[in-house]
């Protein structure tokens, strides 16, 4: 087995006096799709925010690409973040800009590439997500699925080694959701990315997950492969795979 690309040890996350994650440890392996799931308020998004240092961990260790990031200064950590793409739940596209301009933002901010090369990269990324025809449209002119694909093109603009997706299928119909899952798997294979996905969509999990991390009551109650999860006798995990929801 390959060494983990992300290692979390004894992570505690708090908002004021409220403990949201309590002594959480996990490993994310390269070029796999790891799904983080659990009921509402269990700490899924908080876990992502702490791994990406959008929220500073209260205590514990987070190692990415073999480097401890919790004590890094901002300049050092920005170098790590440039190697990570983020697909936000609502896409987070800027409505005042067209799709070309939205995707150009990370390229203009984090590289010194010429305008001609940036344009070429944007066209390649849009082609990868089957959205070449929308290059000069605004987000409001796109369907929900098209907006997710445009946001995905922006997330992979810098060729990240890690892609983090927060509820990518939220608000999509089953066919569009399945199409997005197929696209994510295609990009994983093509770009050799490690993908972390927060979702509770059972059909999507069956399609894309290599490993699962199941959160409940501020802790990890299961971590393992999809097959191991489907055979688990842990009541919460067993219930989820039987009925497709959290009780």
């Amino acid at each position: 087995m390959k060494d983990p690309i992300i290692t979390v040890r004894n992570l505690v996350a708090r908002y004021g006096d409220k403990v949201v994650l309590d002594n959480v440890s996990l490993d994310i392996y390269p070029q796999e799709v790891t799904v983080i799931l659990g009921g509402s308020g269990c700490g899924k998004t908080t876990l992502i925010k702490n791994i990406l240092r959008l929220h500073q961990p209260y205590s514990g260790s987070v190692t990415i690409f073999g480097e401890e990031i919790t004590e890094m200064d901002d300049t050092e950590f920005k170098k790590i973040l440039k190697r990570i793409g983020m697909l936000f739940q609502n896409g987070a596209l800027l409505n005042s800009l067209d799709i070309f301009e939205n995707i150009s933002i990370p390229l203009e901010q984090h590289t010194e590439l010429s305008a001609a090369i940036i344009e070429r990269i944007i066209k390649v990324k849009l082609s990868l997500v089957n959205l070449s025809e929308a290059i000069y449209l605004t987000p409001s002119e796109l369907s929900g699925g098209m907006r997710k694909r445009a946001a995905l093109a922006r997330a992979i603009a810098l060729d990240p080694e890690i892609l983090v997706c927060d509820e990518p299928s939220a608000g999509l119909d089953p066919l569009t959701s399945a199409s997005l899952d197929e696209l994510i798997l295609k990009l994983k294979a093509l770009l050799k990315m490690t993908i972390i996905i927060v979702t509770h969509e059972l059909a999507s999990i069956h399609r894309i997950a290599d490993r699962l991390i199941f959160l409940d009551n501020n802790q990890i109650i299961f971590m393992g492969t999809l097959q191991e999860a489907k055979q688990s006798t842990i009541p919460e995990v067993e219930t989820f795979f039987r009925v497709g929801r959290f009780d």
Side-chain angles (χ1 to χ4, degrees):
M1 183 180 292
K2 297 179 180 178
D3 292 334
I5 196 167
I6 297 176
T7 299
V8 176
R9 292 291 179 266
N10 309 118
L11 177 69
V12 175
R14 295 171 58 170
Y15 294 117
D17 293 331
K18 180 178 173 57
V19 176
V20 182
L21 296 171
D22 187 11
N23 200 37
V24 164
S25 296
L26 60 91
D27 294 312
I28 304 289
Y29 290 93
Q31 297 181 38
E32 291 187 351
V33 176
T34 298
V35 170
I36 300 173
L37 71 158
S40 178
C42 71
K44 303 184 295 294
T45 300
T46 296
L47 177 58
I48 293 299
K49 286 182 176 179
N50 276 259
I51 289 175
L52 299 181
R53 223 172 73 174
L54 299 174
H55 185 274
Q56 186 67 28
Y58 179 78
S59 63
S61 168
V62 179
T63 303
I64 305 178
F65 306 124
E67 299 188 58
E68 172 62 51
I69 61 100
T70 55
E71 302 298 330
M72 277 185 177
D73 63 33
D74 288 345
T75 300
E76 288 180 301
F77 188 58
K78 282 178 181 177
K79 295 177 183 177
I80 298 289
L81 282 181
K82 284 174 65 175
R83 301 166 68 184
I84 301 172
M86 181 75 196
L87 176 60
F88 296 94
Q89 182 173 340
N90 61 3
L93 297 169
L94 298 177
N95 290 322
S96 59
L97 303 179
D98 63 28
I99 299 307
F100 179 94
E101 292 166 323
N102 267 280
I103 300 172
S104 73
I105 292 171
L107 293 163
E108 291 174 351
Q109 288 186 343
H110 300 296
T111 75
E112 297 180 357
L113 298 172
S114 69
I117 293 177
I118 286 176
E119 180 179 0
R120 192 179 309 165
I121 290 171
I122 291 170
K123 288 180 177 178
V124 168
K125 302 306 181 185
L126 284 172
S127 175
L128 284 175
V129 301
N130 305 317
L131 205 61
S132 297
E133 75 281 4
I135 186 168
Y136 297 119
L137 299 179
T138 61
S140 63
E141 296 176 286
L142 305 183
S143 67
M146 292 172 75
R147 283 195 296 272
K148 287 289 177 75
R149 283 188 279 145
L152 183 56
R154 186 182 60 186
I156 64 171
L158 295 174
D159 294 326
E161 295 159 69
I162 298 172
L163 176 65
V164 181
C165 306
D166 188 7
E167 299 281 5
S169 299
L172 302 180
D173 64 79
L175 285 176
T176 305
S177 176
S179 176
L180 184 63
D181 287 340
E182 291 173 8
L183 177 57
I184 288 172
L185 289 176
K186 183 184 87 169
L187 293 175
K188 177 193 116 172
L190 190 63
L191 303 177
K192 303 190 184 307
M193 290 188 299
T194 301
I195 301 178
I196 305 169
I197 296 182
V198 175
T199 187
H200 61 272
E201 301 287 345
L202 186 57
S204 183
I205 290 167
H206 279 296
R207 284 190 293 264
I208 64 177
D210 293 308
R211 294 180 189 273
L212 295 175
I213 295 171
F214 203 117
L215 289 169
D216 188 59
N217 289 327
N218 314 119
Q219 296 181 323
I220 292 175
I221 61 169
F222 173 85
M223 182 167 57
T225 65
L226 175 61
Q227 190 60 37
E228 290 167 344
K230 290 160 68 174
Q231 296 172 348
S232 173
T233 57
I234 298 170
E236 294 85 354
V237 180
E238 191 176 22
T239 297
F240 176 75
F241 277 93
R242 187 177 70 252
V243 302
R245 65 176 187 270
F246 307 103
D247 289 345

